[in-house]
Amino acid sequence: MAITTCIFDAYGTLFDVTAAARQASAEPEFEALRDKWPELAAHWRLKQLQYTWLRAVANAHADFWDVTQDGLDWSLEATGLQGDDRLRQRLLDLYWELQAYPEVPEMLAALKAGGLQTAILSNGSPPMLDGAVQSAGIEELLNDVLSVEAVGVFKPHSRVYDLVQKRFGCDRDEVLFVSSNGWDAAGASGYGFITAWVNRANEPMDRLPWTPAHVLPNLSTIPALAGL
């Protein structure tokens, strides 16, 4: 069956999650971050994800913004940067203005021009996602922005992927699901979506029962995968 709907994870897929730490490190008042920002960014992203998994398993859901702050606080302590309230606040402020990857606007525009439906499906809360979408200027290129807050559990729970069919009325094999998280792409594969893992860091495949249908270095070839 032909692809009718392209669904994208947000953080790390459309939006560069390292941008906040990288940008803050270039600002004169945060010189202490200059040599540590890659380490902090990596810790922050990993802890953010780990906390979503643990909360999902423990049935202890929280807003993704709370999880993001908890992940940052752990990472600041791990890198010896705890106690700098100005740095913490600056990093959090920048997270609401994450940069989109360079190929994102052209890729989404091609999908829209080809008549496909496009949406985000993310762990992010609606206000966070709205801030990122508005900052990147891609709101006109998306049919919708779907958040796990509608079902109260984080990915890769099947109730999250159910949101796509409920919103668009499509069959699972009409959906191209795209994520930079290998575990997310794998979970969506198990759910029945056609999947693409955007493996920007050239990481090994996760050892899970399912694997993505496609592995890509970036988002540039998504229109071709969708049949355009």
Side-chain angles (χ1 to χ4, degrees):
M1 190 174 291
I3 299 296
T4 64
T5 308
C6 292
I7 303 297
F8 297 88
D9 173 59
Y11 298 109
T13 303
L14 298 180
F15 308 117
D16 182 0
V17 291
T18 68
R22 183 173 62 249
Q23 185 171 336
S25 74
E27 297 175 2
E29 59 267 45
F30 304 123
E31 186 175 354
L33 185 60
R34 191 158 301 161
D35 295 329
K36 293 185 175 182
W37 78 262
E39 181 184 6
L40 181 130
H43 280 317
W44 190 3
R45 179 56 173 165
L46 180 58
K47 279 297 172 182
Q48 185 188 52
L49 292 175
Q50 288 177 340
Y51 291 159
T52 65
W53 302 330
L54 291 168
R55 284 184 172 276
V57 171
N59 194 27
H61 186 71
D63 189 292
F64 194 63
W65 185 236
D66 293 333
V67 174
T68 299
Q69 293 180 80
D70 289 342
L72 175 59
D73 289 339
W74 188 98
S75 303
L76 287 169
E77 184 174 349
T79 52
L81 296 169
Q82 73 273 30
D84 188 336
D85 293 339
R86 286 194 312 149
L87 173 59
R88 180 183 187 274
Q89 189 59 53
R90 181 59 176 152
L91 289 166
L92 291 174
D93 289 344
L94 286 170
Y95 207 88
W96 288 73
E97 305 170 2
L98 293 177
Q99 302 165 14
Y101 287 103
E103 74 272 20
V104 167
E106 183 178 353
M107 179 272 299
L108 289 176
L111 294 175
K112 292 292 287 182
L116 276 70
Q117 301 181 106
T118 60
I120 285 172
L121 178 64
S122 173
N123 280 338
S125 62
M128 289 179 70
L129 293 169
D130 182 65
V133 167
Q134 296 292 332
S135 179
I138 60 173
E139 61 272 20
E140 298 300 321
L141 302 176
L142 296 165
N143 291 102
D144 212 338
V145 178
L146 307 175
S147 167
V148 301
E149 288 305 303
V151 291
V153 67
F154 291 114
K155 296 183 196 174
H157 199 287
S158 62
R159 293 208 308 268
V160 177
Y161 303 125
D162 285 342
L163 291 171
V164 175
Q165 291 176 284
K166 290 178 181 177
R167 167 61 178 83
F168 292 105
C170 52
D171 291 333
R172 297 184 187 191
D173 56 3
E174 294 179 72
V175 175
L176 176 61
F177 180 86
V178 185
S179 181
S180 64
N181 300 300
W183 56 268
D184 187 16
S189 293
Y191 181 80
F193 291 155
I194 299 167
T195 56
W197 175 30
V198 185
N199 187 11
R200 297 180 187 274
N202 196 29
E203 296 178 346
M205 185 76 68
D206 281 318
R207 271 56 173 181
L208 292 169
W210 322 278
T211 55
H214 307 280
V215 182
L216 312 173
N218 56 54
L219 295 163
S220 300
T221 58
I222 291 297
L225 280 184
L228 299 181

